[in-house]
Amino acid sequence: MRERVVRIAPSVMCVDLMRMGEGLALVEQGGADLLHWDVMDGVFVPNLTFGAHFVNAAGERCRLPFDVHLMVTNPMLQVEQLRLRGGDLVTFHVSAAKDFAALTSAIAGSGCGWGVALNPDRPLEEVLNEPVLEGCSLILVMSVFAGFAGQDFIPESLERIRQVAQHPLVRERGITVAVDGGITAENAAAVVAAGARLLVSGSYLLHPSVDFPARLQLLRQAAEKGLSR
């Protein structure tokens, strides 16, 4: 099967915790490309979600690749505990990496790709430089402030996405630009037109009141329109 130009990763954070097994099965069977895990420690961001052991347990039941976003003060600790699989992605915040080279080496050594995340209030230069982008697979542009689901997309994020996607090093190395926060069918075309190729969507896709496969299809259609802009 031909790999999609724009991939979609539903955020597990928005699955009903009391029905997690059913939720993961729904996402996998419904045609998602990856599963996005927001790993939070309640310190780096003001929320507490999943830890490595929970992600590992899910990995034993789910065949989809995982896209793990570490919002923690000690990302190396989580990487050492995660049972990563080939095809998984691990993203972290540069400001939390005490030893950047050791962290990226540990992730790459597991056969996975690694990426760096950028909050709305962080300068683009934090990630758009040679030392950070050496070996990088993905840049995650946060279009909300990391921590909580259900936030509205910050309009100014479009220009940040565009600047990241058009940066010479990003283009030259084929680094994927991902966007997370408030992604819906209403803004997906603009986000893709700005340069995003991986969309993370939580409450829009996985709110208990919505039809996941139908919403996923709407999001894919919107993303496809963005490719032609």
Side-chain angles (χ1 to χ4, degrees):
M1 180 178 176
R2 183 173 60 87
E3 185 175 354
R4 294 186 177 95
V5 176
V6 179
R7 294 178 294 167
I8 296 176
S11 176
V12 181
M13 184 177 176
C14 295
V15 172
D16 183 346
L17 292 178
M18 297 297 101
R19 304 177 66 183
M20 181 60 73
E22 295 174 40
L24 296 181
L26 174 67
V27 170
E28 184 170 14
Q29 295 164 12
D33 299 302
L34 303 91
L35 271 176
H36 183 86
W37 293 88
D38 291 301
V39 176
M40 306 179 190
D41 62 1
V43 180
F44 188 78
V45 292
N47 198 2
L48 185 66
T49 56
F50 317 102
H53 297 300
F54 194 100
V55 177
N56 290 340
E60 295 176 358
R61 301 181 57 180
C62 182
R63 292 172 296 176
L64 283 177
F66 285 177
D67 170 30
V68 183
H69 179 189
L70 300 177
M71 290 171 269
V72 296
T73 56
N74 187 353
M76 179 63 89
L77 177 62
Q78 297 296 325
V79 168
E80 290 173 343
Q81 295 178 354
L82 283 166
R83 291 197 295 270
L84 298 168
R85 309 163 300 174
D88 289 346
L89 289 165
V90 178
T91 305
F92 59 90
H93 292 255
V94 174
S95 61
K98 297 178 177 62
D99 187 333
F100 187 89
L103 179 59
T104 56
S105 178
I107 299 171
S110 66
C112 301
W114 60 267
V116 287
L118 195 65
N119 263 328
D121 59 346
R122 303 297 295 185
L124 299 182
E125 293 75 21
E126 181 173 275
V127 301
L128 295 180
N129 61 77
E130 179 71 39
V132 168
L133 295 184
E134 181 64 35
C136 179
S137 299
L138 177 144
I139 297 174
L140 175 61
V141 179
M142 295 300 299
S143 44
V144 299
F145 284 92
F148 294 93
Q151 300 179 65
D152 292 332
F153 182 89
I154 298 173
E156 292 77 13
S157 301
L158 284 176
E159 181 56 28
R160 286 168 65 83
I161 297 164
R162 190 173 294 109
Q163 290 184 41
V164 169
Q166 293 179 356
H167 191 275
L169 287 176
V170 174
R171 293 170 61 90
E172 173 189 315
R173 298 175 183 181
I175 297 171
T176 298
V177 178
V179 180
D180 181 2
I183 298 296
T184 69
E186 284 66 46
N187 57 33
V191 170
V192 170
R197 293 297 179 265
L198 173 59
L199 306 181
V200 178
S201 182
S203 53
Y204 176 77
L205 289 177
L206 292 170
H207 190 279
S209 66
V210 307
D211 181 334
F212 171 75
R215 278 286 174 93
L216 181 62
Q217 183 63 22
L218 285 174
L219 195 56
R220 286 203 190 283
Q221 292 170 350
E224 289 293 325
K225 291 178 182 178
L227 292 173
S228 61
R229 288 190 179 181

